[in-house]
Amino acid sequence: MLVKWIRCTVVDRRGFERGQRKWAELPHAPGFKGQGGGWSREHPDVAHIFAFWENRVFYDSFMARSHDGLAAAQSGTYSGIQVKLFEYRFDVKTGFEPRFTDADVVRVAHSKVREDRVEHFALMQERVWNPAMAGSPGMLRGVFGESPGHEFLVLSMWQSSAERGKYRAGSIERLSQRTQIDHDVAELAGDVVQLEPSWTV
């Protein structure tokens, strides 16, 4: 599975949201599995969108044929855009599905990992971070993806920001020390996204 993460700095919020509804046509695209997104809770002008595709072949076909026509509806509504693609590596919790209807917030964490620490980082994610998140009340499901250049994405879906806050308060510092994350990660960026139900496809 291919995970696409889009981050936009929006200048025309109403126009952007109007254009976002055009993506409702996506289910007709072969290989499309789901899409959702919303606004950053820390930066009100930042929108995040997460899209899931069966594989790179289907995604490339969509980009070559239909993408530009759908994207035109949002032209001029944002001043900056970052697009990153990640190959699915494993679930955070079991049975990941790219659906957003039962989630309130998504936590996205993007890591650039030192080359000699990649395997350790992935192992710690699988054996330490994932079980801790999976056991946290309110955590629904998530996905761990990898991109060339030792970049990784951890996407976790939560029933509410309050539930996610409980996990964060009790666990982050302890788990960080246990996994030696400071030795693994060269750069770490993250955000909490308040999902917009009308953006779910």
Coordinates of all heavy atoms in Angstrom, one line a residue, residues 51-146:
A51 N -3.9 10.2 1.8 CA -4.6 9.3 0.7 C -3.8 8.0 0.7 O -2.6 7.9 0.9 CB -4.5 10.0 -0.6
F52 N -4.6 6.9 0.4 CA -4.1 5.6 0.4 C -4.4 4.9 -0.9 O -5.6 5.0 -1.4 CB -4.7 4.8 1.5 CG -4.4 5.4 2.9 CD1 -5.2 6.4 3.4 CD2 -3.4 4.9 3.6 CE1 -4.9 7.0 4.6 CE2 -3.1 5.5 4.9 CZ -3.9 6.5 5.4
W53 N -3.4 4.3 -1.5 CA -3.5 3.6 -2.8 C -3.0 2.2 -2.7 O -2.1 1.9 -1.9 CB -2.7 4.4 -3.9 CG -3.3 5.7 -4.2 CD1 -3.1 6.9 -3.5 CD2 -4.2 6.0 -5.2 NE1 -3.9 7.9 -4.0 CE2 -4.6 7.4 -5.1 CE3 -4.8 5.3 -6.2 CZ2 -5.5 8.1 -5.9 CZ3 -5.7 5.9 -7.1 CH2 -6.0 7.3 -6.9
E54 N -3.6 1.3 -3.5 CA -3.2 -0.1 -3.5 C -1.7 -0.3 -3.8 O -1.0 -1.1 -3.1 CB -4.0 -0.9 -4.5 CG -4.2 -2.3 -4.2 CD -5.3 -2.9 -5.1 OE1 -6.4 -2.5 -5.1 OE2 -4.9 -3.9 -5.8
N55 N -1.2 0.4 -4.8 CA 0.2 0.3 -5.1 C 0.6 1.5 -6.0 O -0.2 2.4 -6.4 CB 0.6 -1.0 -5.8 CG -0.2 -1.2 -7.1 OD1 -0.4 -0.3 -7.9 ND2 -0.7 -2.4 -7.3
R56 N 1.9 1.6 -6.3 CA 2.5 2.8 -7.0 C 2.0 2.8 -8.4 O 1.8 3.9 -9.0 CB 4.0 2.7 -7.0 CG 4.7 3.8 -7.6 CD 4.5 5.1 -6.8 NE 5.0 6.3 -7.4 CZ 6.1 7.0 -7.0 NH1 6.7 6.6 -5.9 NH2 6.5 8.1 -7.6
V57 N 1.7 1.7 -9.0 CA 1.2 1.6 -10.4 C -0.1 2.3 -10.6 O -0.3 3.1 -11.5 CB 1.2 0.2 -10.9 CG1 0.6 0.1 -12.3 CG2 2.6 -0.5 -11.0
F58 N -1.1 2.0 -9.7 CA -2.4 2.6 -9.7 C -2.3 4.1 -9.5 O -2.9 4.9 -10.1 CB -3.3 2.0 -8.7 CG -3.9 0.6 -9.1 CD1 -3.7 -0.5 -8.3 CD2 -4.6 0.5 -10.3 CE1 -4.3 -1.7 -8.7 CE2 -5.1 -0.7 -10.7 CZ -5.0 -1.8 -9.9
Y59 N -1.4 4.5 -8.5 CA -1.2 5.9 -8.2 C -0.7 6.7 -9.3 O -1.2 7.7 -9.7 CB -0.3 6.0 -6.9 CG 0.1 7.4 -6.6 CD1 -0.8 8.3 -6.1 CD2 1.4 7.9 -7.0 CE1 -0.5 9.6 -5.8 CE2 1.7 9.2 -6.7 CZ 0.8 10.1 -6.2 OH 1.2 11.4 -5.9
D60 N 0.4 6.1 -10.0 CA 1.0 6.8 -11.1 C 0.0 7.0 -12.2 O 0.0 8.0 -12.9 CB 2.2 6.1 -11.6 CG 3.4 6.2 -10.6 OD1 3.4 7.2 -9.8 OD2 4.4 5.4 -10.7
S61 N -0.8 6.0 -12.4 CA -1.9 6.1 -13.5 C -2.9 7.2 -13.2 O -3.2 8.0 -14.1 CB -2.6 4.7 -13.6 OG -3.7 4.8 -14.5
F62 N -3.3 7.3 -12.0 CA -4.2 8.4 -11.6 C -3.6 9.7 -11.7 O -4.2 10.7 -12.3 CB -4.6 8.2 -10.1 CG -5.2 9.4 -9.5 CD1 -6.5 9.8 -9.8 CD2 -4.5 10.2 -8.6 CE1 -7.1 11.0 -9.3 CE2 -5.0 11.3 -8.0 CZ -6.3 11.7 -8.3
M63 N -2.3 9.9 -11.3 CA -1.6 11.1 -11.5 C -1.5 11.6 -12.9 O -1.6 12.8 -13.3 CB -0.2 11.0 -10.8 CG -0.2 10.9 -9.3 SD -1.0 12.3 -8.5 CE 0.2 13.6 -8.8
A64 N -1.3 10.6 -13.8 CA -1.1 10.9 -15.2 C -2.4 11.3 -15.9 O -2.4 12.0 -16.9 CB -0.5 9.7 -15.9
R65 N -3.5 10.8 -15.4 CA -4.8 11.0 -16.1 C -5.8 12.0 -15.4 O -6.2 12.9 -16.0 CB -5.5 9.6 -16.2 CG -4.7 8.6 -17.1 CD -5.4 7.3 -17.1 NE -4.6 6.3 -17.9 CZ -4.9 5.1 -18.1 NH1 -6.0 4.6 -17.5 NH2 -4.1 4.3 -18.8
S66 N -6.1 11.7 -14.2 CA -7.2 12.5 -13.6 C -6.8 13.5 -12.6 O -7.6 14.4 -12.3 CB -8.2 11.5 -12.8 OG -8.5 10.4 -13.7
H67 N -5.6 13.5 -12.0 CA -5.3 14.3 -10.9 C -5.4 15.8 -11.2 O -6.0 16.5 -10.4 CB -3.9 14.0 -10.4 CG -3.4 15.0 -9.4 ND1 -2.7 16.1 -9.7 CD2 -3.5 14.9 -8.0 CE1 -2.4 16.8 -8.5 NE2 -2.9 16.1 -7.5
D68 N -4.9 16.3 -12.3 CA -4.8 17.7 -12.5 C -6.2 18.3 -12.6 O -6.4 19.5 -12.2 CB -4.0 18.0 -13.7 CG -2.5 17.7 -13.5 OD1 -2.1 17.3 -12.4 OD2 -1.7 17.8 -14.5
G69 N -7.1 17.6 -13.2 CA -8.5 18.1 -13.3 C -9.1 18.3 -12.0 O -9.8 19.3 -11.8
L70 N -8.9 17.4 -11.1 CA -9.5 17.5 -9.7 C -8.8 18.6 -8.9 O -9.4 19.4 -8.2 CB -9.4 16.2 -9.0 CG -10.2 15.0 -9.5 CD1 -9.9 13.7 -8.8 CD2 -11.7 15.3 -9.4
A71 N -7.5 18.7 -9.0 CA -6.7 19.6 -8.3 C -6.9 21.1 -8.7 O -6.7 22.0 -7.9 CB -5.2 19.3 -8.4
A72 N -7.4 21.3 -9.9 CA -7.6 22.6 -10.4 C -8.6 23.4 -9.6 O -8.5 24.7 -9.5 CB -8.1 22.6 -11.9
A73 N -9.5 22.7 -8.9 CA -10.5 23.4 -8.1 C -9.9 24.1 -6.9 O -10.6 25.0 -6.4 CB -11.6 22.4 -7.6
Q74 N -8.7 23.7 -6.5 CA -8.1 24.4 -5.4 C -7.0 25.3 -5.8 O -6.3 25.9 -4.9 CB -7.6 23.3 -4.4 CG -8.7 22.6 -3.6 CD -8.3 21.4 -2.8 OE1 -7.7 20.5 -3.4 NE2 -8.6 21.4 -1.6
S75 N -6.8 25.5 -7.0 CA -5.7 26.4 -7.5 C -5.9 27.8 -6.9 O -7.0 28.4 -6.9 CB -5.8 26.5 -9.0 OG -4.8 27.4 -9.5
G76 N -4.8 28.4 -6.4 CA -4.9 29.7 -5.8 C -5.4 29.8 -4.4 O -5.4 30.9 -3.8
T77 N -5.8 28.7 -3.8 CA -6.3 28.7 -2.4 C -5.2 28.4 -1.4 O -5.4 28.6 -0.2 CB -7.4 27.7 -2.2 OG1 -6.9 26.4 -2.4 CG2 -8.5 27.9 -3.2
Y78 N -4.0 28.1 -1.8 CA -2.9 27.8 -0.9 C -1.6 28.4 -1.4 O -1.4 28.6 -2.6 CB -2.7 26.3 -0.6 CG -2.5 25.5 -1.9 CD1 -1.3 25.3 -2.4 CD2 -3.6 24.8 -2.5 CE1 -1.2 24.5 -3.6 CE2 -3.5 24.1 -3.6 CZ -2.3 23.9 -4.1 OH -2.1 23.1 -5.3
S79 N -0.7 28.8 -0.5 CA 0.6 29.4 -0.9 C 1.7 28.4 -0.9 O 2.8 28.7 -1.5 CB 0.9 30.5 0.1 OG 1.0 30.0 1.4
G80 N 1.6 27.3 -0.3 CA 2.6 26.3 -0.2 C 2.1 24.9 -0.1 O 1.0 24.7 0.5
I81 N 2.8 23.9 -0.7 CA 2.3 22.5 -0.6 C 3.5 21.6 -0.5 O 4.5 21.8 -1.2 CB 1.4 22.2 -1.8 CG1 0.8 20.8 -1.7 CG2 2.1 22.3 -3.1 CD1 -0.3 20.4 -2.6
Q82 N 3.4 20.6 0.3 CA 4.4 19.6 0.4 C 3.7 18.2 0.2 O 2.7 18.0 0.9 CB 5.1 19.6 1.8 CG 6.0 20.8 2.1 CD 6.5 20.8 3.5 OE1 5.8 20.6 4.5 NE2 7.8 21.0 3.7
V83 N 4.3 17.4 -0.6 CA 3.7 16.1 -0.9 C 4.8 15.0 -0.7 O 5.9 15.2 -1.2 CB 3.2 16.0 -2.4 CG1 2.6 14.6 -2.6 CG2 2.1 17.1 -2.6
K84 N 4.5 14.0 0.1 CA 5.4 12.9 0.4 C 4.7 11.6 0.2 O 3.5 11.5 0.6 CB 6.0 13.1 1.7 CG 7.0 14.2 1.9 CD 7.8 14.2 3.2 CE 8.8 15.3 3.3 NZ 9.9 15.1 2.4
L85 N 5.4 10.6 -0.4 CA 4.9 9.3 -0.5 C 5.6 8.3 0.3 O 6.9 8.4 0.4 CB 5.0 8.9 -2.0 CG 4.2 9.7 -3.0 CD1 4.6 9.3 -4.4 CD2 2.7 9.6 -2.8
F86 N 4.9 7.4 1.0 CA 5.5 6.4 1.8 C 5.0 5.0 1.5 O 3.8 4.9 1.2 CB 5.2 6.7 3.3 CG 5.8 8.0 3.8 CD1 5.1 9.2 3.6 CD2 7.0 8.1 4.4 CE1 5.6 10.4 4.0 CE2 7.5 9.3 4.9 CZ 6.8 10.4 4.7
E87 N 5.8 4.0 1.4 CA 5.4 2.7 1.3 C 5.0 2.1 2.6 O 5.8 2.2 3.6 CB 6.5 1.8 0.7 CG 6.8 2.1 -0.8 CD 5.7 1.5 -1.7 OE1 4.9 0.7 -1.3 OE2 5.7 1.9 -2.9
Y88 N 3.8 1.5 2.7 CA 3.4 0.8 3.9 C 4.4 -0.2 4.4 O 5.0 -1.0 3.6 CB 2.1 0.1 3.6 CG 1.7 -0.9 4.7 CD1 0.9 -0.5 5.8 CD2 2.1 -2.3 4.6 CE1 0.5 -1.4 6.7 CE2 1.7 -3.2 5.6 CZ 0.9 -2.8 6.6 OH 0.6 -3.7 7.6
R89 N 4.7 -0.2 5.7 CA 5.7 -1.2 6.2 C 5.0 -2.1 7.2 O 5.1 -3.3 7.1 CB 6.9 -0.5 6.8 CG 8.0 -1.4 7.1 CD 9.4 -0.7 7.1 NE 10.3 -1.6 7.8 CZ 11.6 -1.3 8.0 NH1 12.1 -0.2 7.5 NH2 12.3 -2.2 8.6
F90 N 4.2 -1.5 8.2 CA 3.4 -2.4 9.0 C 2.4 -1.5 9.8 O 2.4 -0.3 9.7 CB 4.2 -3.2 10.1 CG 5.3 -2.4 10.8 CD1 4.9 -1.5 11.8 CD2 6.6 -2.5 10.5 CE1 5.9 -0.8 12.6 CE2 7.6 -1.8 11.2 CZ 7.2 -1.0 12.3
D91 N 1.4 -2.2 10.4 CA 0.3 -1.6 11.1 C 0.8 -1.1 12.4 O 1.7 -1.6 13.0 CB -0.8 -2.6 11.4 CG -1.6 -3.0 10.2 OD1 -1.3 -2.4 9.1 OD2 -2.5 -3.9 10.3
V92 N 0.2 0.0 12.9 CA 0.3 0.4 14.3 C -1.0 -0.1 14.9 O -2.1 0.5 14.6 CB 0.5 1.9 14.4 CG1 0.5 2.3 15.9 CG2 1.7 2.4 13.7
K93 N -1.0 -1.0 15.8 CA -2.2 -1.8 16.2 C -2.5 -2.7 15.0 O -1.9 -2.6 13.9 CB -3.4 -0.9 16.5 CG -4.3 -1.5 17.5 CD -5.3 -0.5 18.1 CE -6.2 -1.1 19.2 NZ -7.0 -0.1 19.8
T94 N -3.5 -3.6 15.1 CA -3.7 -4.6 14.0 C -4.9 -4.1 13.2 O -5.7 -3.4 13.6 CB -4.0 -6.0 14.6 OG1 -5.0 -5.9 15.5 CG2 -2.7 -6.5 15.3
G95 N -4.8 -4.7 11.9 CA -6.0 -4.5 11.0 C -6.2 -3.1 10.5 O -7.3 -2.6 10.5
F96 N -5.1 -2.4 10.1 CA -5.3 -1.1 9.6 C -6.2 -1.0 8.4 O -6.1 -1.8 7.4 CB -3.9 -0.4 9.2 CG -4.1 1.0 8.7 CD1 -4.3 2.0 9.5 CD2 -4.1 1.2 7.3 CE1 -4.5 3.3 9.0 CE2 -4.3 2.5 6.8 CZ -4.5 3.5 7.6
E97 N -7.1 -0.1 8.4 CA -7.9 0.2 7.2 C -7.9 1.7 7.0 O -8.0 2.5 8.0 CB -9.4 -0.2 7.4 CG -9.7 -1.7 7.6 CD -11.1 -1.9 7.9 OE1 -12.0 -1.5 7.1 OE2 -11.4 -2.5 9.0
P98 N -7.8 2.2 5.8 CA -7.8 3.7 5.5 C -9.2 4.3 5.6 O -9.7 4.7 4.6 CB -7.2 3.8 4.1 CG -7.6 2.5 3.4 CD -7.6 1.5 4.5
R99 N -9.8 4.3 6.8 CA -11.1 4.9 6.9 C -11.0 5.9 8.1 O -10.3 5.7 9.0 CB -12.2 3.9 7.1 CG -12.2 3.0 8.2 CD -13.2 1.9 8.2 NE -13.0 1.0 9.3 CZ -13.4 1.1 10.5 NH1 -14.2 2.1 10.8 NH2 -13.2 0.2 11.4
F100 N -11.8 6.9 8.0 CA -11.7 8.1 8.9 C -13.0 8.4 9.6 O -13.0 9.2 10.5 CB -11.3 9.3 8.1 CG -9.9 9.3 7.5 CD1 -9.7 8.6 6.3 CD2 -8.8 9.8 8.1 CE1 -8.5 8.5 5.7 CE2 -7.6 9.8 7.5 CZ -7.4 9.1 6.3
T101 N -14.1 7.6 9.3 CA -15.4 8.0 9.8 C -15.5 7.9 11.3 O -16.4 8.6 11.9 CB -16.5 7.2 9.1 OG1 -16.1 5.8 9.2 CG2 -16.6 7.6 7.7
D102 N -14.8 7.0 12.0 CA -14.9 6.9 13.4 C -13.8 7.6 14.2 O -13.8 7.5 15.5 CB -14.9 5.4 13.8 CG -13.6 4.7 13.3 OD1 -12.9 5.2 12.5 OD2 -13.4 3.5 13.7
A103 N -13.0 8.3 13.5 CA -11.9 9.0 14.2 C -12.2 10.5 14.3 O -12.9 11.1 13.4 CB -10.6 8.8 13.5
D104 N -11.6 11.2 15.3 CA -11.8 12.6 15.5 C -10.5 13.4 15.2 O -10.6 14.4 14.6 CB -12.2 12.9 17.0 CG -12.5 14.3 17.3 OD1 -13.1 15.0 16.5 OD2 -12.0 14.9 18.3
V105 N -9.4 12.8 15.6 CA -8.1 13.4 15.3 C -7.1 12.3 14.7 O -7.2 11.1 15.0 CB -7.5 14.1 16.5 CG1 -8.3 15.3 17.0 CG2 -7.2 13.1 17.6
V106 N -6.2 12.8 14.0 CA -5.0 12.0 13.5 C -3.8 12.7 13.9 O -3.6 13.9 13.9 CB -5.0 12.0 11.9 CG1 -3.7 11.4 11.4 CG2 -6.2 11.1 11.4
R107 N -2.9 11.9 14.5 CA -1.5 12.3 14.8 C -0.6 11.9 13.7 O -0.6 10.7 13.3 CB -1.1 11.7 16.2 CG 0.4 11.8 16.5 CD 0.9 13.2 16.7 NE 2.3 13.2 17.0 CZ 3.1 14.3 17.0 NH1 2.5 15.5 16.8 NH2 4.3 14.2 17.3
V108 N 0.2 12.8 13.2 CA 1.2 12.5 12.1 C 2.6 12.8 12.7 O 2.8 13.9 13.3 CB 0.9 13.2 10.8 CG1 0.8 14.7 11.0 CG2 1.9 12.9 9.8
A109 N 3.5 11.9 12.6 CA 4.9 12.1 13.0 C 5.8 11.7 11.8 O 5.7 10.6 11.3 CB 5.2 11.2 14.2
H110 N 6.6 12.6 11.4 CA 7.5 12.5 10.3 C 9.0 12.5 10.8 O 9.4 13.5 11.4 CB 7.3 13.6 9.3 CG 8.2 13.6 8.1 ND1 8.8 14.7 7.7 CD2 8.7 12.5 7.4 CE1 9.6 14.4 6.6 NE2 9.5 13.1 6.4
S111 N 9.7 11.4 10.6 CA 11.1 11.3 11.1 C 12.1 11.2 10.0 O 11.8 10.4 9.1 CB 11.2 10.1 12.1 OG 10.3 10.2 13.1
K112 N 13.2 11.9 10.1 CA 14.3 11.6 9.2 C 15.4 10.9 10.1 O 15.8 11.5 11.1 CB 14.9 12.9 8.7 CG 14.0 13.5 7.7 CD 14.6 14.8 7.0 CE 13.6 15.4 6.0 NZ 14.1 16.6 5.4
V113 N 15.7 9.7 9.8 CA 16.5 8.8 10.7 C 17.9 8.7 10.1 O 18.1 8.6 8.9 CB 15.8 7.4 10.7 CG1 16.6 6.5 11.6 CG2 14.4 7.6 11.3
R114 N 18.8 8.7 11.1 CA 20.3 8.5 10.7 C 20.4 7.1 10.0 O 19.9 6.1 10.5 CB 21.1 8.6 11.9 CG 21.1 10.0 12.5 CD 22.0 10.1 13.7 NE 22.0 11.5 14.2 CZ 21.2 12.0 15.2 NH1 20.3 11.1 15.8 NH2 21.2 13.2 15.6
E115 N 21.2 7.1 9.0 CA 21.3 5.9 8.1 C 21.7 4.7 8.9 O 21.2 3.6 8.7 CB 22.4 6.2 7.0 CG 22.5 5.1 6.0 CD 23.4 5.4 4.8 OE1 23.9 6.6 4.8 OE2 23.5 4.6 3.9
D116 N 22.6 4.8 9.8 CA 23.1 3.6 10.5 C 22.2 3.2 11.7 O 22.4 2.2 12.4 CB 24.5 3.9 11.1 CG 24.5 5.1 12.1 OD1 23.7 6.0 12.0 OD2 25.4 5.1 13.0
R117 N 21.0 4.0 11.8 CA 20.1 3.7 12.9 C 18.7 3.2 12.4 O 17.8 3.1 13.2 CB 19.9 4.9 13.8 CG 21.2 5.4 14.4 CD 21.7 4.5 15.6 NE 20.8 4.5 16.7 CZ 21.1 3.9 17.9 NH1 22.2 3.3 18.0 NH2 20.2 4.0 18.9
V118 N 18.6 3.1 11.1 CA 17.3 2.8 10.5 C 16.7 1.5 11.0 O 15.5 1.5 11.4 CB 17.4 2.8 8.9 CG1 16.2 2.1 8.3 CG2 17.6 4.2 8.4
E119 N 17.4 0.4 11.0 CA 16.8 -0.8 11.5 C 16.5 -0.8 13.0 O 15.5 -1.3 13.4 CB 17.8 -2.0 11.2 CG 17.9 -2.3 9.7 CD 16.5 -2.4 9.0 OE1 15.6 -3.1 9.6 OE2 16.3 -1.8 8.0
H120 N 17.3 -0.1 13.8 CA 17.0 0.0 15.2 C 15.7 0.8 15.4 O 14.8 0.5 16.2 CB 18.2 0.7 15.9 CG 17.9 0.9 17.4 ND1 17.4 2.0 18.0 CD2 18.1 0.0 18.5 CE1 17.3 1.9 19.3 NE2 17.7 0.7 19.6
F121 N 15.6 1.9 14.6 CA 14.4 2.8 14.7 C 13.1 2.0 14.4 O 12.1 2.0 15.1 CB 14.6 4.0 13.8 CG 13.3 4.8 13.7 CD1 13.1 5.8 14.7 CD2 12.4 4.7 12.6 CE1 12.0 6.6 14.6 CE2 11.3 5.5 12.6 CZ 11.1 6.5 13.5
A122 N 13.2 1.2 13.3 CA 12.0 0.4 12.9 C 11.7 -0.6 13.9 O 10.5 -0.9 14.2 CB 12.3 -0.2 11.5
L123 N 12.7 -1.3 14.4 CA 12.5 -2.3 15.4 C 11.9 -1.8 16.7 O 10.9 -2.4 17.3 CB 13.8 -3.0 15.8 CG 13.8 -4.2 16.6 CD1 13.2 -5.4 15.8 CD2 15.2 -4.6 17.1
M124 N 12.3 -0.6 17.1 CA 11.8 0.0 18.3 C 10.3 0.5 18.1 O 9.5 0.4 19.0 CB 12.6 1.3 18.8 CG 14.0 0.9 19.3 SD 13.9 -0.1 20.8 CE 14.3 -1.7 20.2
Q125 N 10.0 0.9 16.9 CA 8.7 1.3 16.5 C 7.7 0.1 16.6 O 6.7 0.1 17.2 CB 8.6 1.8 15.1 CG 7.2 2.3 14.7 CD 6.8 3.6 15.5 OE1 7.5 4.5 15.7 NE2 5.5 3.5 15.9
E126 N 8.2 -1.1 16.1 CA 7.4 -2.3 16.1 C 7.2 -2.9 17.5 O 6.2 -3.3 17.8 CB 8.0 -3.3 15.1 CG 7.1 -4.4 14.8 CD 7.7 -5.2 13.6 OE1 8.9 -5.1 13.3 OE2 6.9 -6.0 13.0
R127 N 8.3 -2.9 18.3 CA 8.3 -3.6 19.5 C 8.0 -2.8 20.7 O 7.6 -3.4 21.8 CB 9.7 -4.3 19.7 CG 10.0 -5.4 18.7 CD 11.1 -6.2 19.1 NE 11.4 -7.3 18.1 CZ 12.5 -8.0 18.1 NH1 13.4 -7.9 19.1 NH2 12.6 -9.0 17.2
V128 N 8.2 -1.5 20.7 CA 8.0 -0.7 21.9 C 6.9 0.4 21.6 O 5.9 0.4 22.4 CB 9.3 0.0 22.3 CG1 9.0 0.9 23.5 CG2 10.4 -1.0 22.6
W129 N 7.0 1.2 20.6 CA 6.0 2.3 20.4 C 4.7 1.7 20.0 O 3.7 2.2 20.5 CB 6.5 3.3 19.3 CG 7.7 4.1 19.8 CD1 9.0 4.0 19.4 CD2 7.6 5.3 20.6 NE1 9.8 5.0 20.0 CE2 8.9 5.8 20.7 CE3 6.6 6.0 21.2 CZ2 9.2 7.0 21.4 CZ3 6.9 7.2 21.9 CH2 8.2 7.6 22.0
N130 N 4.7 0.8 19.1 CA 3.4 0.3 18.6 C 2.5 -0.3 19.8 O 1.4 0.0 19.9 CB 3.6 -0.7 17.5 CG 3.8 0.0 16.2 OD1 4.1 1.2 16.1 ND2 3.8 -0.8 15.1
P131 N 3.1 -1.3 20.6 CA 2.3 -1.8 21.6 C 1.8 -0.8 22.6 O 0.7 -0.9 23.2 CB 3.3 -2.8 22.3 CG 4.3 -3.2 21.2 CD 4.4 -1.9 20.4
A132 N 2.7 0.2 22.9 CA 2.2 1.3 23.8 C 1.1 2.1 23.3 O 0.1 2.3 24.0 CB 3.4 2.2 24.1
M133 N 1.1 2.4 22.0 CA 0.0 3.1 21.4 C -1.2 2.2 21.3 O -2.4 2.7 21.6 CB 0.4 3.6 20.0 CG 0.9 5.1 20.0 SD 0.8 5.8 18.4 CE 2.3 5.2 17.7
A134 N -1.0 1.0 20.9 CA -2.1 0.1 20.7 C -2.9 -0.2 22.0 O -4.1 -0.4 22.0 CB -1.6 -1.3 20.1
G135 N -2.2 -0.1 23.1 CA -2.8 -0.4 24.4 C -3.5 0.8 25.0 O -4.0 0.8 26.1
S136 N -3.4 2.0 24.3 CA -3.9 3.2 24.9 C -5.4 3.4 24.5 O -5.7 3.2 23.4 CB -3.1 4.4 24.3 OG -3.5 5.6 24.9
P137 N -6.2 3.6 25.5 CA -7.7 3.8 25.2 C -7.9 4.9 24.2 O -7.2 6.0 24.3 CB -8.2 4.2 26.6 CG -7.2 3.7 27.6 CD -5.9 3.8 26.9
G138 N -8.8 4.7 23.3 CA -9.1 5.7 22.3 C -8.2 5.7 21.0 O -8.5 6.4 20.1
M139 N -7.2 4.9 21.0 CA -6.4 4.8 19.8 C -7.0 3.7 18.9 O -7.2 2.6 19.3 CB -4.9 4.4 20.2 CG -3.9 4.5 19.0 SD -3.9 3.1 17.9 CE -2.7 3.5 16.8
L140 N -7.4 4.1 17.7 CA -8.1 3.2 16.9 C -7.3 2.3 16.0 O -7.4 1.1 16.0 CB -9.1 4.0 15.9 CG -10.1 4.9 16.7 CD1 -10.8 5.9 15.7 CD2 -11.1 4.0 17.4
R141 N -6.3 2.9 15.3 CA -5.5 2.2 14.3 C -4.4 3.1 13.8 O -4.5 4.4 13.9 CB -6.3 1.6 13.2 CG -7.0 2.5 12.4 CD -8.0 1.9 11.4 NE -9.0 2.9 11.0 CZ -10.1 3.1 11.7 NH1 -10.4 2.5 12.8 NH2 -11.0 4.1 11.2
G142 N -3.4 2.6 13.1 CA -2.4 3.4 12.5 C -1.6 2.7 11.5 O -1.7 1.5 11.3
V143 N -0.6 3.4 10.9 CA 0.2 2.8 9.9 C 1.6 3.4 10.0 O 1.8 4.6 10.4 CB -0.4 3.0 8.5 CG1 -0.4 4.5 8.1 CG2 0.3 2.2 7.4
F144 N 2.6 2.6 9.7 CA 4.0 3.0 9.7 C 4.5 2.8 8.3 O 4.4 1.7 7.7 CB 4.8 2.1 10.7 CG 6.3 2.3 10.8 CD1 6.7 3.4 11.5 CD2 7.2 1.5 10.1 CE1 8.1 3.6 11.6 CE2 8.5 1.7 10.2 CZ 9.0 2.8 11.0
G145 N 5.0 3.9 7.7 CA 5.5 3.9 6.3 C 6.9 4.4 6.2 O 7.4 5.1 7.0
E146 N 7.5 4.0 5.1 CA 8.9 4.4 4.8 C 9.1 5.0 3.4 O 8.4 4.6 2.5 CB 9.8 3.1 4.9 CG 11.3 3.4 4.7 CD 12.2 2.2 4.9 OE1 11.6 1.1 5.2 OE2 13.4 2.3 4.9

